[in-house]
Amino acid sequence: MRTYVGGHQAVSDTDFVELALGTPVELWLGVEGESEMERAARLAAARDILADHPDLPDLVSQVAAEAIEAYAPELLNVVPLSRPVRRRRPRGKGAAA
């Protein structure tokens, strides 16, 4: 069985991620042994993409959450940590800064 995403055949997990992101995974994660110049160029390209598509981080988070929910739902079974309640001091006229 062949799987296509947006007209492109996805043959591996990496293909699915790249097709979902619209960019190669290496752009965001880097590659082992990259030089400082390569890293700087990669990060500059990533900044340009984020400037053009400010909703991309939200989309990526949504895709990741949906993939976890579909393929590894046990990862979402977490126990929330209790946090102490912090009381805020009222701010306004006469309140100390």
Side-chain angles (χ1 to χ4, degrees), residues 2-62:
R2 294 182 185 181
T3 304
Y4 291 87
V5 177
H8 300 279
Q9 184 177 5
V11 295
S12 70
D13 295 342
T14 301
D15 287 344
F16 279 109
V17 172
E18 288 182 2
L19 291 169
L21 292 175
T23 62
V25 175
E26 294 82 11
L27 175 68
W28 308 102
L29 302 179
V31 293
E32 191 172 330
E34 72 182 352
S35 69
E36 284 299 316
M37 188 185 314
E38 291 168 327
R39 182 175 189 272
R42 177 178 58 77
L43 293 176
R47 279 191 295 275
D48 289 345
I49 289 170
L50 290 173
D52 291 342
H53 304 282
D55 59 330
L56 186 60
D58 291 336
L59 175 63
V60 170
S61 298
Q62 180 182 354

Side-chain angles (χ1 to χ4, degrees), residues 67-77:
I68 291 169
E69 187 175 52
Y71 299 105
E74 67 279 1
L75 294 177
L76 297 177
N77 293 333

